[in-house]
Amino acid sequence: MSKNTLTITDNRTGKTYEIPVEYDTIEAMQLRQIKVNDDDFGMMSYDPAFKNTASTKSKITFIDGDKGILRYRGYPIDQLAESSNYLEVAYLILFGELPTKEQYAQWEHDILHHTFVHESIKHLMHAFRYDAHPLGMFIATVAAMSTFYPEGRDIHNEDTRMKQIQRLIAKVPTVAAFSYRHSRGLPYVYPDNELSYTGNFLNMLDKMTEVRYEPNPILERALDVLFILHADHEQNCGTATMRVIGSSHTDPYTSMAGAAAALYGPLHGGANEAVLRMLIEIGDVKNVPEFMKGVKNRERLLMGFGHRVYKNYDPRAKIIKQVADDVFEVTGKNPLLDIALELERIALEDDFFVERNLYPNVDFYSGIIYQAMRFPISMFPVLFAIPRTVGWLAQWVEMLNDSEQKIARPRQIYLGEDERDFVPMDERN
Ligand code: CMC
């Protein structure tokens, strides 16, 4: 009869240990009983970059990277992208169930009526240089919001917590739009609470002298779908950062600024920006083979390809290709699309990429759509951070409610000098 245990024999001592297995996983702390002698600290596992370490149990997002499956709270991403909207998905991610009509109406009202920011936040944003990167502005402003809502530090009070969550989801588009207007030298546009979440965001980006801004419904919907696709992605670098910072009971604004900082890098949320810069550099379909040679010689990465978890087509990338068609109907085709398609075509047939299971990820096509919608390239990672806000916050709440969680504090294997005596400066050579 099979047993849900793992038997380990320590060949240093000949001792055998039986370790419980749950969810195909062993608890790393179980290894500590494996010792050579009583003074031994006990065995640890070594896993730089957490390639095979689960840091939490979670009920929010499911990914099967081999099959290319992504589900929020059990609902397949393609069904949500097809039939839902971002605010409804945000509710689902946060509360675990789809809202009833009444719950949705209340939720929508709560979010759309917290969109204004304190005037001092506006002044603060004014102080940035004219060419400040919008995500740099976003990170700093979200961190600064903790000083506007000091009650946010009361993280154990569920009502206070929910208030900060609503504030953050409601205000990030405003902060993002102000960062965009700032970089263009344009006056900031206040929110219009009669518009949808994404409609209002477009309003704050684009409104000029018109009395009432009318968002283009196709672009509004396209942005909504892109927001759904980016809402959560389990324990990625930014989310793990949110949980690590939050584990010391930091307020949600400061924790989220840290999560957004993790997102900034070109290997994570900054990849959409890096993809566009790469496509511009390639410049023409005829230059693709030469570029690919460089990738295969390991001179550079094919940005927007590969994923730690997906070893198959990223299901979000598939949906994004459909969104691109809708957007291009309105904006006209982005000429960089042909270069992207050629890169993908070659990569999907080439042994280098096939052997390593490298497929397009969410960022490969999103930038092409954002550029067609006339977003400046530096805004792309901000367009990732806005919808990811709900994922960060849902994961933060789950972490706070999880009695198995404690302050995050990895171990290390110390390989430095052994103890030695201090040498005064004039005796050093
Ligand atoms: N271009 C060329 N080679 C690649 C790429 C790429 N984009 N990605 C991975 N490889 C190679 C890598 O060199 C390695 O080869 P080998 O085993 O021969 O040394 C192999 O594929 C495995 O890659 P890895 O670096 O061990 O994989 P990882 O899980 O540590 O990294 C990744 C995942 C996403 C950081 C990486 O694939 C990458 O840098 N991609 C480009 C940046 C990108 O598009 N990031 C967005 C990720 S999706 C959205 C998000 O998370 O924010």
Side-chain angles (χ1 to χ4, degrees), residues 229 313-322 360-365:
L229 301 184
Y313 215 97
D314 181 338
R316 302 169 298 173
K318 265 188 209 152
I319 300 167
I320 280 189
K321 271 177 111 173
Q322 293 156 17
N361 60 50
V362 68
D363 289 319
F364 192 63
Y365 287 104

Side-chain angles (χ1 to χ4, degrees), residues 91-366:
Y91 184 101
L92 170 72
I93 287 175
L94 207 49
F95 298 104
E97 295 295 338
L98 287 167
T100 63
K101 228 183 222 169
E102 292 72 28
Q103 285 168 332
Y104 181 75
Q106 183 64 48
W107 171 245
E108 190 184 39
H109 178 273
D110 289 342
I111 299 302
L112 297 185
H113 288 80
H114 281 101
T115 50
F116 276 70
V117 293
H118 195 289
E119 280 295 286
S120 296
I121 291 184
K122 203 179 83 178
H123 297 317
L124 185 140
M125 296 187 75
H126 259 305
F128 283 99
R129 267 181 65 121
Y130 69 97
D131 59 352
H133 193 288
L135 192 58
M137 291 178 72
F138 181 90
I139 292 166
T141 307
V142 170
M145 280 166 77
S146 69
T147 66
F148 288 82
Y149 307 109
E151 71 272 25
R153 292 205 294 266
D154 189 7
I155 53 147
H156 297 297
N157 180 321
E158 278 189 27
D159 295 339
T160 317
R161 218 194 270 168
M162 189 45 65
K163 185 84 185 168
Q164 315 317 314
I165 289 173
Q166 288 173 356
R167 278 185 175 138
L168 271 164
I169 296 172
K171 292 183 204 309
V172 285
T174 312
V175 171
F178 284 9
S179 71
Y180 166 78
R181 301 284 293 202
H182 184 85
S183 63
R184 300 251 128 169
L186 294 168
Y188 300 172
V189 176
Y190 287 108
D192 180 343
N193 293 349
E194 299 305 312
L195 294 172
S196 73
Y197 191 75
T198 40
N200 172 47
F201 180 51
L202 290 171
N203 160 63
M204 292 187 288
L205 294 169
D206 289 341
K207 186 168 186 289
M208 294 306 286
T209 53
E210 61 272 47
V211 178
R212 191 83 203 280
Y213 176 85
E214 298 282 349
N216 178 305
I218 296 175
L219 299 186
E220 184 182 6
R221 175 66 192 155
L223 201 54
D224 210 63
V225 173
L226 287 163
F227 278 11
I228 291 171
L229 301 184
H230 286 89
D232 192 52
H233 212 231
E234 53 119 302
Q235 309 309 316
N236 56 81
C237 181
T239 303
T241 305
M242 180 86 192
R243 280 176 172 264
V244 168
I245 300 177
S247 76
S248 75
H249 295 175
T250 303
D251 70 84
Y253 301 95
T254 314
S255 303
M256 210 185 98
L263 191 80
Y264 205 164
L267 299 188
H268 190 10
N272 51 17
E273 183 176 348
V275 169
L276 239 283
R277 296 197 193 283
M278 173 187 79
L279 295 175
I280 292 168
E281 186 194 325
I282 296 172
D284 197 290
V285 173
K286 71 175 189 315
N287 301 328
V288 167
E290 192 56 31
F291 177 86
M292 287 302 243
K293 229 188 260 170
V295 173
K296 285 161 60 176
N297 289 339
R298 298 181 178 275
E299 286 154 23
R300 49 193 311 170
L301 292 171
L302 176 56
M303 300 311 288
F305 260 69
H307 199 275
R308 171 62 59 78
V309 182
Y310 293 120
K311 300 302 169 200
N312 199 324
Y313 215 97
D314 181 338
R316 302 169 298 173
K318 265 188 209 152
I319 300 167
I320 280 189
K321 271 177 111 173
Q322 293 156 17
V323 175
D325 292 338
D326 299 342
V327 168
F328 296 157
E329 286 280 311
V330 178
T331 61
K333 196 178 93 179
N334 186 337
L336 294 176
L337 179 68
D338 289 336
I339 301 175
L341 287 170
E342 181 62 3
L343 286 169
E344 181 183 338
R345 189 190 66 77
I346 295 182
L348 294 183
E349 287 174 358
D350 190 296
D351 286 349
F352 178 92
F353 296 90
V354 173
E355 278 163 14
R356 291 173 178 77
N357 294 316
L358 298 172
Y359 289 88
N361 60 50
V362 68
D363 289 319
F364 192 63
Y365 287 104
S366 63

Side-chain angles (χ1 to χ4, degrees), residues 2 7-8 15 25 31 82 129 133-134 138 180 236 259 269 291 294 296 321 327 346 371 388 400-401 403 413 416 423:
S2 72
T7 300
I8 299 177
K15 278 195 204 160
T25 306
L31 300 176
E82 174 78 28
R129 267 181 65 121
H133 193 288
F138 181 90
Y180 166 78
N236 56 81
F291 177 86
K296 285 161 60 176
K321 271 177 111 173
V327 168
I346 295 182
Q371 198 195 36
R388 184 53 59 85
L400 290 175
N401 287 335
S403 61
I413 302 168
V423 180

